[in-house]
Amino acid sequence: MEGTVTFESDLNLKATELRLGLPGTNESEKQTPPSVRSNKRALPDMNEESRSKNYSSVTEAAGHGDRETAPPSKAQVVGWPPIRSYRKNSFQPKKTEADADAEATGIYVKVSMDGAPFLRKVDLKVYKGYPELLKALENMFKFSIGEYSERDGYTRSEFVPTYEDKDGDWMLLGDVPWDMFISSCKKLRIMKGSEARGLGCGV
Amino acid sequence: MTYFPEEVLEHIFDFLSSHLDRNAVSLVCKSWFRVERWSRRRVFIGNCYAVSPERLIARFPRVRALTLKGKPHFADFNLVPHDWGGFVSPWIEAMTKSYPGLEELRLKRMVVSDDSLELLSRSFPNFKSLVLVSCEGFTTDGLAAIAANCKHLLELDLQENEVDDSRGQWLSCFPDSCTSLVSLNFACLKGEVNLVALERLVARCPNLRSLRLNRSVNLDTLRKILMQAPQLVDLGTGSYVHHPNSEAYVKLINVVKSYKSVRSLSGFLEVAPRCLPSIYPICLNLTSLNLSYAPGIQSTQLIKLIHHCRNLQRLWILDCIGDKGLGVVASSCKELQELRVFPSDPHGVGNAAVTEEGLVAISMGCPKLHSLLYFCQQMTNAALITVAKNCPNFTRFRLCILDPKKPDPVTLQPLDEGFGAIVQSCKGLRRLSLSGLLTDRVFLYIGVYAEQLEMLSVAFAGEGDKGMLYVLNGCKNLRKLEIMDGPFGDVALLMDVGKYETMRSLWMSSCEVTLGGCKALASKMPMINVEIINENDQMEENPDDGMKVEKLYLYRTLDGSRRDAPDFVWTL
């Protein structure tokens, strides 16, 4: 049947496709429902055959010839899940923050420095880790920050890099893993002087 | 009894609030028909195309409150193209001439223009209440007209509308003489509002009971508002984020602590979870809590909050509460009647989510539960059977398993038996939404047991025409049937065409019905508008009757095919 052949070539492409999923996970395998037309076909060794037949019959029955239907959950089926578009739209901004890897847009956060007349913005996605970010900040504001130590923070300099996280708290830069930092950082502030001394001593 | 003076009849009819009762009364005899007709003040029209404005006015000449619904329900999920219809302007234009005493207008899924709002604001001197739900087509300019011109406005309630914030000064358009507001809800507006104007407005409206703010209203303004309006019963906060200046936060805590009147709380459109404990003192008074638009609150924080809400009757929440959190709801909220659990990530698979466990826990702990909307990762037949046994009082049961066609993960069976148990046990069920893997069997159960069912929503379910027929034949009270992606075709559609005159509407998209089938239906039933939404240009050149119809929407009507249908809608 043409439907079956088409499906099998799709399956092969999927097998060689580069994806971000864990190796060994196969979307179509997970999503396969047993054949609804004959309950006898639920046995694992029959799965391959019944699965193809399922999808071809499903594809025809649903009339989605030109739409991607296998597996349904990954395809952006219009109208599914049944969530009001108003609600979907109100959550989109959060999704782009969390899913930074998948999206093409950068994560721009404001950077303020005590004593500087105006703020700057940096794209956190551009840096691979703290050392790179710190170097960029040093260049941007023409100061030097020294080294980070877990115990003492940034002791060698009178500048301390901090950031505001999702909860609204001011945190010392460098304590949490980089990925966690990127997803929770809302803005950066380079503190200077006496105020800076308070941080880094176990807040 | 036949010779009651009409004034007495009218006085008696005044006690009838339900439009169903009034409809019945008007059928008794000519004199009752006449009295009822002149004394009818409130009319509900579930489909704005079922009857024309002129017909409404001719039948009920002295209406003061009108409710209109426009687009079909699946328009909420982007299945209905923009410009499909549902325009309110012909209604408002007709009413300006005939209903000078109009006081209330409630619209759902309709297209409302700024011009219409302007006309409304100028034409009805006694206008008191405007409620817009899931509408679109207007900007804050229209709202400014309402604010400026409706001198006796009691209620302006905007729920989940798509509004263009053009200038944002609409709030300042409420004149100083406006002191009558009882309810103001602008949570869905995305733009800034004049905070000072807002504070002043609240201060001069002593009857304000319900206030729902949008995201632009910060914590500090909220505090000031609460101090001016100690009598609020329903509060929707805007942004609930404290700034590092802790003095402002402490001030807020003190205001909230003494805020005893609030029964319904919503909003938190932006929230710093650390601020949530400030709410704990008022939780015991809450009967309704909506955190479904509050991003980023973790399960542990939600649990702590809900633990305090012992008198909750309605809870709308995100699925990041988790099954464990629902267990806490079950043990804390014994008065719970309505629960809605929304997905925090509509496209995600298995992040923070709920499963059948959460639902079972709720059913065990909350015996008064009768209304449910539950988005989950998976469901089992065993769980549904347990839920059906524990909660026989469901009137609304909407289950959405995010992965379409997902079977019972334990048995790999379809969910027919589970839903079957629900319809069998819940004799008062009026609304049902199905999901997961389903065969025709579930429709057999629905047809046999769901006697009170009025609305059924189906997606990716069934095996063939028989399924749809079970429902059409069995559910005597069915008013709305909506089906997406089903194997139902012309045989099911045409078996009992008279049925559609007893229903409000039928929606079928991505099913097996053909153009020929729809034409046949249309020719047999002149009182039904059979509309086909044709978005691709496939059907332009001499369509073949055998061609499948992508979207079919049919509804009963007294006034024939509508004159405002766009090009892509064909009325057969």
Side-chain angles (χ1 to χ4, degrees):
Chain A
M1 276 204 320
E2 271 162 17
T4 317
V5 171
T6 318
F7 179 74
E8 273 171 350
S9 60
D10 277 351
L11 191 59
N12 285 338
L13 282 173
K14 274 205 149 20
T16 55
E17 186 185 324
L18 283 174
R19 292 184 295 141
L20 289 175
L22 290 171
T25 53
N26 181 341
E27 284 299 341
S28 13
E29 226 168 75
K30 244 202 322 185
Q31 309 310 340
T32 306
S35 166
V36 297
R37 292 179 194 274
S38 80
N39 293 323
K40 300 180 212 165
R41 301 262 219 110
L43 301 169
D45 50 322
M46 299 284 274
N47 263 357
E48 194 70 62
E49 196 187 312
S50 61
R51 194 190 311 144
S52 325
K53 289 220 171 112
N54 271 340
Y55 274 105
S56 56
S57 58
V58 158
T59 317
E60 276 165 14
H64 303 165
D66 37 323
R67 264 207 265 162
E68 185 193 354
T69 48
S73 68
K74 272 297 180 187
Q76 300 291 318
V77 178
V78 178
W80 192 266
I83 303 171
R84 271 196 189 161
S85 37
Y86 173 85
R87 187 176 282 279
K88 266 192 192 160
N89 295 340
S90 67
F91 276 109
Q92 255 157 32
K94 181 174 186 278
K95 181 180 185 271
T96 12
E97 267 175 57
D99 256 296
D101 296 324
E103 307 287 344
T105 53
I107 310 174
Y108 282 92
V109 296
K110 289 183 189 169
V111 190
S112 64
M113 168 137 154
D114 292 353
F118 54 85
L119 279 64
R120 304 294 303 270
K121 259 201 168 163
V122 291
D123 178 359
L124 294 178
K125 265 189 78 179
V126 163
Y127 309 103
K128 296 200 190 59
Y130 288 118
E132 270 189 49
L133 172 63
L134 288 171
K135 198 161 206 109
L137 292 175
E138 283 178 318
N139 284 337
M140 200 179 254
F141 290 99
K142 309 279 178 286
F143 71 107
S144 132
I145 220 166
E147 263 182 28
Y148 164 83
S149 92
E150 202 179 285
R151 202 176 66 127
D152 299 323
Y154 299 87
T155 48
R156 293 239 210 96
S157 149
E158 63 162 349
F159 297 96
V160 180
T162 64
Y163 69 99
E164 186 183 11
D165 75 354
K166 270 184 190 156
D167 291 338
D169 297 315
W170 286 93
M171 316 287 293
L172 183 69
L173 203 77
D175 283 336
V176 303
W178 177 251
D179 288 327
M180 194 187 290
F181 162 72
I182 292 196
S183 62
S184 60
C185 172
K186 287 182 70 175
K187 55 167 95 138
L188 288 164
R189 177 180 165 201
I190 300 169
M191 291 186 179
K192 180 179 147 159
S194 53
E195 212 182 341
R197 306 259 184 275
L199 283 170
C201 307
V203 169
Chain B
M1 170 148 143
T2 346
Y3 296 109
F4 258 9
E6 295 198 344
E7 298 83 44
V8 178
L9 272 180
E10 187 176 325
H11 185 67
I12 296 175
F13 292 169
D14 270 350
F15 290 102
L16 298 173
S17 49
S18 146
H19 61 273
L20 291 171
D21 287 342
R22 282 200 156 245
N23 293 347
V25 142
S26 65
L27 292 174
V28 167
C29 65
K30 276 199 181 138
S31 135
W32 282 37
F33 179 88
R34 190 177 50 246
V35 173
E36 197 285 315
R37 177 173 163 248
W38 282 93
S39 66
R40 174 95 66 137
R41 299 281 172 263
R42 321 187 69 87
V43 175
F44 169 85
I45 297 178
N47 172 8
C48 66
Y49 291 119
V51 67
S52 69
E54 292 70 34
R55 188 181 288 270
L56 166 70
I57 291 165
R59 173 79 164 80
F60 299 116
R62 292 230 204 99
V63 165
R64 293 207 194 122
L66 178 64
T67 302
L68 279 173
K69 293 190 180 182
K71 300 186 199 178
H73 175 230
F74 276 178
D76 283 351
F77 318 133
N78 292 335
L79 283 171
V80 175
H82 201 54
D83 292 343
W84 172 87
F87 307 105
V88 79
S89 44
W91 291 88
I92 294 185
E93 279 155 22
M95 292 193 292
T96 56
K97 298 178 209 118
S98 309
Y99 290 160
L102 189 72
E103 295 178 2
E104 300 173 31
L105 188 61
R106 269 170 193 68
L107 304 177
K108 186 169 185 179
R109 276 186 224 107
M110 294 198 74
V111 178
V112 182
S113 66
D114 282 342
D115 285 343
S116 293
L117 289 175
E118 167 93 35
L119 184 60
L120 175 71
S121 73
R122 293 192 185 283
S123 310
F124 307 108
N126 291 337
F127 196 74
K128 295 195 172 69
S129 165
L130 181 64
V131 180
L132 302 177
V133 181
S134 295
C135 296
E136 54 169 357
F138 60 103
T139 75
T140 46
D141 287 352
L143 298 178
I146 298 285
N149 304 327
C150 297
K151 306 214 180 320
H152 303 288
L153 197 67
L154 298 182
E155 176 175 35
L156 178 60
D157 185 359
L158 307 170
Q159 300 174 29
E160 301 193 342
N161 303 288
E162 301 284 355
V163 185
D164 260 324
D165 266 280
S166 51
R167 256 174 277 150
Q169 289 305 317
W170 66 278
L171 248 184
S172 318
C173 294
F174 280 105
D176 288 341
S177 53
C178 171
T179 57
S180 50
L181 274 183
V182 172
S183 166
L184 177 63
N185 172 7
F186 59 94
C188 64
L189 296 186
K190 300 192 195 78
E192 312 266 320
V193 292
N194 185 324
L195 297 179
V196 173
L198 174 62
E199 287 173 45
R200 285 212 215 110
L201 178 63
V202 171
R204 65 178 184 270
C205 292
N207 297 325
L208 197 64
R209 290 282 170 277
S210 169
L211 180 64
R212 297 193 185 185
L213 310 167
N214 79 345
R215 207 169 154 171
S216 74
V217 181
N218 57 37
L219 206 76
D220 214 42
T221 307
L222 174 65
R223 179 184 58 84
K224 291 183 199 156
I225 287 176
L226 291 182
M227 285 168 57
Q228 299 280 12
Q231 75 289 356
L232 285 181
V233 169
D234 170 21
L235 174 66
T237 68
S239 170
Y240 210 77
V241 177
H242 85 284
H243 27 151
N245 175 4
S246 51
E247 190 191 328
Y249 185 50
V250 170
K251 277 195 215 160
L252 174 76
I253 293 181
N254 287 328
V255 171
V256 171
K257 217 188 306 207
S258 55
Y259 214 83
K260 291 300 172 196
S261 56
V262 166
R263 296 281 170 273
S264 165
L265 190 59
S266 61
F268 301 94
L269 306 174
E270 195 182 33
V271 56
R274 277 169 42 117
C275 294
L276 286 179
S278 60
I279 311 257
Y280 292 174
I282 58 172
C283 284
L284 204 56
N285 298 329
L286 294 181
T287 55
S288 168
L289 179 62
N290 180 356
L291 291 174
S292 67
Y293 283 105
I297 308 179
Q298 288 168 350
S299 174
T300 42
Q301 294 152 330
L302 282 173
I303 288 174
K304 275 195 212 147
L305 176 64
I306 288 174
H307 192 63
H308 287 83
C309 303
R310 306 237 147 217
N311 291 310
L312 223 50
Q313 294 171 16
R314 182 196 307 159
L315 176 63
W316 291 25
I317 199 129
L318 293 175
D319 63 2
C320 40
I321 192 175
D323 285 331
K324 219 171 65 178
L326 289 176
V328 175
V329 173
S331 57
S332 310
C333 309
K334 294 301 180 190
E335 301 298 312
L336 198 66
Q337 297 177 23
E338 176 183 333
L339 175 66
R340 295 196 191 188
V341 180
F342 294 95
S344 42
D345 183 5
H347 306 299
V349 181
N351 287 331
V354 295
T355 69
E356 74 277 8
E357 286 179 26
L359 187 59
V360 169
I362 292 281
S363 74
M364 299 206 301
C366 308
K368 297 188 183 176
L369 193 68
H370 64 76
S371 174
L372 179 75
L373 172 60
Y374 196 74
F375 284 85
C376 58
Q377 290 297 321
Q378 63 184 47
M379 185 54 58
T380 63
N381 282 312
L384 284 174
I385 292 169
T386 306
V387 169
K389 219 182 328 199
N390 293 335
C391 293
N393 298 320
F394 275 117
T395 54
R396 292 179 188 78
F397 191 87
R398 292 193 279 164
L399 184 68
C400 177
I401 303 165
L402 286 166
D403 187 358
K405 293 194 171 182
K406 185 164 182 158
D408 180 327
V410 173
T411 63
L412 294 182
Q413 291 299 304
L415 291 173
D416 303 329
E417 298 307 313
F419 280 106
I422 295 283
V423 293
Q424 198 172 349
S425 163
C426 304
K427 310 240 182 284
L429 194 68
R430 294 200 313 266
R431 183 168 180 185
L432 178 64
S433 297
L434 306 172
S435 60
L437 184 66
L438 295 163
T439 71
D440 281 344
R441 206 167 170 75
V442 71
F443 298 112
L444 173 62
Y445 289 140
I446 292 173
V448 168
Y449 293 114
E451 290 171 359
Q452 301 301 316
L453 195 66
E454 295 176 5
M455 180 170 177
L456 179 64
S457 308
V458 178
F460 304 102
E463 300 164 278
D465 289 319
K466 263 202 308 207
M468 186 167 158
L469 285 171
Y470 288 141
V471 171
L472 291 175
N473 292 335
C475 300
K476 298 296 171 215
N477 288 306
L478 193 66
R479 289 189 358 244
K480 287 183 278 182
L481 178 58
E482 46 186 25
I483 304 172
M484 62 178 273
D485 296 79
F488 316 113
D490 295 338
V491 170
L493 184 70
L494 296 171
M495 184 68 68
D496 177 12
V497 292
K499 174 76 175 172
Y500 305 124
E501 268 184 355
T502 69
M503 292 168 55
R504 184 187 298 172
S505 65
L506 167 68
W507 169 282
M508 294 178 75
S509 59
S510 303
C511 295
E512 298 293 303
V513 292
T514 68
L515 184 59
C518 295
K519 280 184 182 170
L521 174 57
S523 64
K524 286 188 200 169
M525 302 295 293
M527 304 288 267
I528 305 277
N529 275 356
V530 180
E531 291 185 8
I532 292 185
I533 298 173
N534 162 39
E535 286 166 288
N536 324 318
D537 289 322
Q538 280 177 343
M539 295 207 173
E540 293 274 332
E541 317 125 23
N542 242 340
D544 172 29
D545 275 3
M547 190 163 245
K548 291 226 188 86
V549 165
E550 184 58 27
K551 290 173 184 169
L552 162 68
Y553 180 56
L554 62 86
Y555 53 90
R556 65 182 175 189
T557 178
L558 291 175
D559 286 304
S561 42
R562 55 186 176 113
R563 287 172 287 281
D564 63 2
D567 288 338
F568 54 80
V569 171
W570 287 9
T571 308
L572 300 178

